[in-house]
Amino acid sequence: MNDLPFETLLKANDSNDRWYPTPIDTLKYSVKIDMSIENARALHSNIAYNLQYIEFLEKELEELNLSSVVYIMVVKIYVITIMSIIEGLFTNIVKSNDWWKTSDLESLVTTQANETKFGDQKYIIKTELLKKVEPYNVQMNLDELIKILNRHHSTLGVDHLIYPALKRLKDLRNRVHLQKTEGNTDHDYNAFDYSVKNEMSKILHNILTSPKITDRPETFNFIKSE
């Protein structure tokens, strides 16, 4: 990483000296994950790519004079990207510790009986035929991962207040679906602001600088918060 200003990235600037984020190899070297887990190499690369993008977004927010709407949209992408990084790290940790949820049942068919009425209420009985199989991993969402690591707090060794904060903020990533709103005032401009960005910065920095994640916490000095 260098300290050159954002303007060195302009195509009109013919100087060979340009701002460049932390190299991918440095980011990979600075993030420790369990490489024995399936597809860990791809996850490791994706975490590094997204961290470099976070560094670029930090540069934008710090040096560019953005309109209020554009600022909010940059914060939105910032938050969604951080949530993806955290989910990737948590997935690797949960799998590494054999805490991933499994099932030994496979659904074969579901049948449905005719509608029955009791008083004013209508009921339908469904029957599902399940087959016993070898245990397999089932899908888990970010909320479940947060709950597991909250129960096993010493695994990551971060401020315990991170987990309730993540539970409160995790649904912001769903705003990638523009149609999912709960009213006319439930839009991005009212959902994202500096305080949300600052809180996400602190959470990510706290996680990345945990001794369980890195031996080189200085790599992540580009994550800005107050």
Side-chain angles (χ1 to χ4, degrees):
M1 185 184 71
N2 57 50
D3 294 325
L4 293 173
F6 197 94
E7 64 186 35
T8 61
L9 296 177
L10 298 177
K11 290 183 177 180
N13 188 326
D14 58 3
S15 171
N16 290 326
D17 293 327
R18 295 182 182 274
W19 176 83
Y20 195 83
T22 305
I24 293 297
D25 285 345
T26 300
L27 292 169
K28 285 183 179 181
Y29 184 73
S30 300
V31 176
K32 298 186 292 186
I33 67 171
D34 186 346
M35 298 302 291
S36 69
I37 302 301
E38 183 181 12
N39 299 325
R41 190 174 300 277
L43 172 62
H44 205 208
S45 294
N46 283 338
I47 289 172
Y49 301 151
N50 281 272
L51 282 173
Q52 195 179 78
Y53 184 49
I54 286 294
E55 186 172 0
F56 173 74
L57 294 180
E58 289 277 15
K59 190 76 170 175
E60 283 190 317
L61 292 170
E62 183 177 7
E63 295 192 18
L64 297 185
N65 189 9
L66 303 172
S67 73
S68 59
V69 171
V70 172
Y71 176 87
I72 291 299
M73 299 312 294
V74 173
V75 171
K76 175 182 177 178
I77 297 303
Y78 184 92
V79 170
I80 291 172
T81 303
I82 286 181
M83 285 295 184
S84 297
I85 294 169
I86 291 172
E87 184 176 33
L89 290 170
F90 283 11
T91 295
N92 184 265
I93 294 169
V94 170
K95 287 184 175 180
S96 179
N97 286 278
D98 292 323
W99 295 329
W100 199 266
K101 187 164 60 176
T102 62
S103 175
D104 60 358
L105 297 174
E106 177 185 349
S107 179
L108 298 179
V109 65
T110 302
T111 59
Q112 180 173 307
N114 291 332
E115 185 179 284
T116 302
K117 188 173 183 179
F118 293 100
D120 295 332
Q121 296 295 320
K122 295 179 180 180
Y123 299 88
I124 294 176
I125 298 175
K126 288 186 176 182
T127 303
E128 184 176 14
L129 180 63
L130 301 168
K131 175 185 175 182
K132 289 281 288 186
V133 296
E134 289 296 317
Y136 62 93
N137 289 339
V138 300
Q139 186 173 357
M140 294 183 68
N141 57 38
L142 180 56
D143 185 58
E144 292 172 300
L145 299 177
I146 293 169
K147 288 177 181 178
I148 289 174
L149 286 178
N150 193 21
R151 290 198 301 269
H152 300 278
H153 176 63
S154 61
T155 304
L156 195 51
V158 296
D159 187 337
H160 70 282
L161 295 177
I162 277 180
Y163 299 109
L166 279 174
K167 288 191 67 175
R168 174 170 46 80
L169 295 166
K170 64 180 175 58
D171 289 339
L172 288 175
R173 69 181 305 185
N174 294 333
R175 288 189 169 271
V176 69
H177 305 290
L178 303 185
Q179 75 279 10
K180 290 188 177 181
T181 61
E182 297 181 0
N184 286 329
T185 60
D186 183 31
H187 49 70
D188 289 344
Y189 196 82
N190 287 339
F192 298 95
D193 56 21
Y194 174 77
S195 64
V196 171
K197 184 270 175 191
N198 198 49
E199 188 170 17
M200 287 305 308
S201 298
K202 289 179 179 178
I203 290 172
L204 181 63
H205 189 265
N206 201 319
I207 291 172
L208 289 175
T209 55
S210 164
K212 305 295 180 67
I213 297 296
T214 190
D215 296 321
R216 305 177 67 188
E218 67 279 359
T219 299
F220 308 109
N221 287 342
F222 62 82
I223 300 174
K224 303 289 195 299
S225 62
E226 294 180 1

